[in-house]
Amino acid sequence: MAGTEATDGAASDKMLALAAEWIPTLKERSVEIDRLRQLPQDLAEALAADGFYRTLVPPALGGMGLSPAVVAEISEILAMGNASAAWCTFIGSTSQIMFAALEPAQLAQVLADPDVITAGVFAPSGTATAAAGPDGAEGYIVKGRWAWASGSHNAEWISGGVQIDGGQSTDSGQPALGRAFFRPEDIVLHDDWYTSGLRGSGSSTFEADNIWLPADRIAYERAILKSPYAAAPLYRMPLFGLLALPIGAIALGMARACVDEVIEVARSKVPQGSRRTLGQRPSLHSAVAVADTEVRAARTLLYAEIGAAWERAQHGLADLEIRRNLRTATTHAMQTSLRVAQSMNSAVGGTAVFEASPLQRHLRDAQTASAHFMVAMPVMELAGRTFFDPGGDTSGL
């Protein structure tokens, strides 16, 4: 049936095993990834060939139809090798959610390459105004500037959220929302991604300057509701919760990698002025146990809430409690992971300050990820407000 999610556990197991196989390569190339400030193209293409950019959407739309929990776990595992690589693949995967709103001819064009690399920004930072093309064809003039466009340097198709004027308006008469699908040559991709963390995500700003696009390159968000995929569990998941959950998973992957690295370093490191290895110190034992417990607890909560939301999506839309719990569990995973990365960096002293150390890279990446509005502390403020004003504006959840 169109829109049905894949339930083949073998496919999930295969992708999880592939993700684990990628960890050594991603670790080995992390300095290169940071130096380039984007994924090396050969690396992105190899990840795409293994299917990591098409894990989420239904098979009928060119995807694998894996559950959000499996997609999150894939992100978590890849992040143990390199968070930027995990970030780009999850952005690519979630950017394909709008495939359900594309016209069939345009979808076929996008999927002409089964290993297509996609990227996109959901924020409606542009406008699309109905206008005939040079040959009288229906289309839109698109103008906008989209920040935080992770993975765009590697992508064949890059989408940006737009407000659509002169098209299908909403019931309230306001401009409809949608996504404009660009080829790299349609846009200007600015070289402005100079950051302390997630350097290799290539999250640059891109710009479209009054470019004309044919009508089938604009996907209306409302079109999903009329598509054969509207009843698929994926499209019943809380959108913000779905987009945010891989961030929490990536953070947990980094935190776990930090704990593992400290254990490995501490087995042989003898601090200056000491005769014992770092791993023989009771204070280190305590720090590692606390960190391990925090990661396991945060992970258990996150996947429990993903599971609850996914179970609800089999039958209908999520209620406020599910939406709130999913967002708070994701934010908690992010904030907990940042604390663990900080504590593990402190635990090994000077060993962590060098560029080759994964500890300092994970810390920088976690600090940068924690600034994302999807997992920043204002999420907790919004969630907490709903306990006192459940009838208020909860659109941010």
Side-chain angles (χ1 to χ4, degrees):
M1 182 173 107
T4 300
E5 301 295 307
T7 57
D8 184 3
S12 297
D13 292 343
K14 175 186 174 182
M15 294 308 297
L16 291 169
L18 272 175
E21 290 176 9
W22 267 96
I23 293 175
T25 298
L26 294 177
K27 284 183 176 180
E28 181 181 345
R29 300 188 66 176
S30 283
V31 172
E32 175 192 4
I33 291 170
D34 276 6
R35 177 176 54 80
L36 289 177
R37 292 180 296 111
Q38 65 183 71
L39 292 190
Q41 191 64 27
D42 71 296
L43 201 61
E45 290 176 0
L47 287 162
D50 275 351
F52 290 110
Y53 285 85
R54 53 187 174 89
T55 54
L56 192 59
V57 302
L61 292 169
M64 294 183 178
L66 303 184
S67 73
V70 174
V71 174
E73 191 171 358
I74 288 170
S75 298
E76 182 183 359
I77 294 170
L78 290 176
M80 295 179 71
N82 183 274
S84 290
W87 195 277
C88 288
T89 56
F90 110 72
I91 289 290
S93 187
T94 55
S95 71
Q96 296 182 15
I97 289 173
M98 285 299 290
F99 281 6
L102 282 172
E103 293 293 331
Q106 180 60 36
L107 179 62
Q109 186 177 352
V110 173
L111 296 178
D113 178 2
D115 298 328
V116 63
I117 298 176
T118 55
V121 178
F122 270 81
S125 301
T127 58
T129 304
D135 58 355
E138 292 184 359
Y140 295 85
I141 297 293
V142 181
K143 179 180 178 62
R145 186 180 178 91
W146 293 266
W148 310 92
S150 307
S152 294
H153 294 271
N154 307 114
E156 300 167 58
W157 289 95
I158 304 161
S159 57
V162 291
Q163 298 182 58
I164 307 171
D165 293 315
Q168 306 170 21
S169 64
T170 63
D171 295 338
S172 64
Q174 298 297 315
L177 298 179
R179 296 284 283 277
F181 279 75
F182 303 102
R183 300 289 289 182
E185 59 268 22
D186 297 329
I187 60 174
V188 175
L189 188 55
H190 295 288
D191 183 20
D192 59 359
W193 187 245
Y194 292 87
T195 60
S196 60
L198 290 175
R199 293 176 183 172
S201 67
S203 303
S204 301
T205 301
F206 73 90
E207 190 169 6
D209 187 12
N210 291 316
I211 182 174
W212 184 83
L213 294 180
D216 58 7
R217 290 264 213 105
I218 304 294
Y220 283 81
E221 288 187 4
R222 297 178 73 198
I224 293 177
L225 300 177
K226 301 177 182 178
S227 78
Y229 310 99
L234 174 67
Y235 295 100
R236 290 172 168 171
M237 282 286 288
L239 180 59
F240 282 177
L242 182 64
L243 297 178
L245 68 88
I247 303 177
I250 287 171
L252 289 171
M254 290 189 285
R256 173 54 59 194
C258 285
V259 174
D260 292 347
E261 180 67 12
V262 166
I263 293 171
E264 182 64 26
V265 169
R267 292 186 192 280
S268 58
K269 177 176 179 176
V270 179
Q272 188 172 1
S274 176
R275 295 181 178 180
R276 298 186 301 171
T277 64
L278 187 60
Q280 293 175 302
R281 291 186 172 182
S283 59
L284 191 281
H285 299 165
S286 177
V288 167
V290 169
D292 172 72
T293 303
E294 289 184 336
V295 173
R296 288 188 293 109
R299 188 178 191 276
T300 298
L301 176 63
L302 177 61
Y303 283 92
E305 298 303 343
I306 295 173
W310 188 237
E311 174 60 27
R312 182 68 184 90
Q314 310 303 309
H315 311 288
L317 298 177
D319 58 19
L320 174 58
E321 182 179 7
I322 285 177
R323 290 161 52 210
R324 178 177 61 214
N325 290 351
L326 185 59
R327 293 299 306 282
T328 53
T330 305
T331 302
H332 177 258
M334 178 72 255
Q335 300 301 324
T336 298
S337 298
L338 177 57
R339 290 196 305 272
V340 167
Q342 290 168 335
S343 69
M344 292 296 92
N345 270 259
S346 298
V348 298
T351 301
V353 306
F354 294 95
E355 189 177 54
S357 170
L359 285 165
Q360 57 81 29
R361 183 179 304 108
H362 287 312
L363 177 57
R364 288 189 288 103
D365 290 346
Q367 288 173 327
T368 300
S370 70
H372 197 291
F373 81 99
M374 285 286 196
V375 291
M377 286 307 292
V379 171
M380 293 301 199
E381 178 183 339
L382 173 59
R385 190 184 310 144
T386 66
F387 287 104
F388 301 92
D389 184 19
D393 181 11
T394 62
S395 58
L397 295 176

